[in-house]
Amino acid sequence: MPDSANDIPARLRRRPELWMVLLFLVSLAGLGFFLLAGEVVEGDTKAFDEAILLALRTPGDLSDPIGSHWVEEMARDMTALGGVAWLSLLTAGVAGYLALSRHTRTMWFLLIAIGGGTLVSRSAKMLFERARPDLVPHGSYVYTASFPSGHTMLSAVTYLTLAVMLSRLEPRRIIKVYIMTCAIILTGLVGASRVYLGVHWPTDVIAGWTAGAGWAVLCLLVAQWLQRKGQIEPAEDAKD
């Protein structure tokens, strides 16, 4: 199958510097996460976190988020898109599609990648054990530690990894861009909803975005490496 100049995997094979760029992005995400974690542990983000949470509440009534009641309801809908139940169903659905499309090895890689990201998220929560915000009432039920935001990180891991893997199988460049754009928007909305509902500090969400995006880029690198070794199905050539 001929390579296309618009296909990321083909460009990676011909231009090793793109590997370096992606490796740099993964390293930058990891460094950013740990630097932010250090600031959180030392309490240096307290003023920033509190200012953002208070800015999203009606002055004089901290139990009332800004905006109409339908805005708050939409935030709950958005936050549900980062829930374990929904993300598990979505992952299973995409895995089924890959299996039916005879991309079995890609399916297993996808399940391992998302499962691994989930394990990293849970481990980080156990490591840092940051308390949930007590500055404002919570608009959603919570039962785990605060840092990093599990909904945010798991949505980033799941949506971005799914987008990376599905875009590899789509030959049209416009569809690749569309898939990635949808994944980024969904991840952003989930994270923003967690802060709006008062169940996470803003830095929890930033950490979730950073770690999740870094994990997705790492998965892309590993997928290309496995593809070159013939361990997973090749990507499709990109077309306009």
Side-chain angles (χ1 to χ4, degrees), residues 24-75:
F24 173 75
L25 291 176
V26 173
S27 301
L28 187 63
L31 178 62
F33 177 85
F34 284 107
L35 287 176
L36 180 58
E39 294 294 306
V40 167
V41 170
E42 294 175 2
D44 295 336
T45 63
K46 185 174 185 294
F48 169 79
D49 283 327
E50 291 183 350
I52 298 297
L53 279 183
L54 291 176
L56 295 175
R57 296 285 158 157
T58 302
D61 185 4
L62 296 182
S63 66
D64 183 24
I66 59 174
S68 303
H69 293 301
W70 63 267
V71 176
E72 187 174 352
E73 190 62 27
M74 284 184 62

Side-chain angles (χ1 to χ4, degrees), residues 104-138:
T104 308
R105 288 172 290 178
T106 298
M107 176 199 73
W108 284 113
F109 177 82
L110 174 71
L111 293 175
I112 293 171
I114 292 178
T118 302
L119 181 61
V120 170
S121 175
R122 295 296 176 87
S123 299
K125 280 182 173 291
M126 294 174 62
L127 175 64
F128 293 104
E129 294 187 330
R130 188 186 194 186
R132 293 279 180 165
D134 56 3
L135 188 64
V136 299
H138 296 169

Side-chain angles (χ1 to χ4, degrees), residues 129-164:
E129 294 187 330
R130 188 186 194 186
R132 293 279 180 165
D134 56 3
L135 188 64
V136 299
H138 296 169
S140 178
Y141 179 73
V142 292
Y143 53 90
T144 60
S146 194
F147 185 91
S149 166
H151 275 65
T152 304
M153 183 171 174
L154 291 181
S155 64
V157 165
T158 303
Y159 291 129
L160 296 180
T161 302
L162 287 174
V164 164

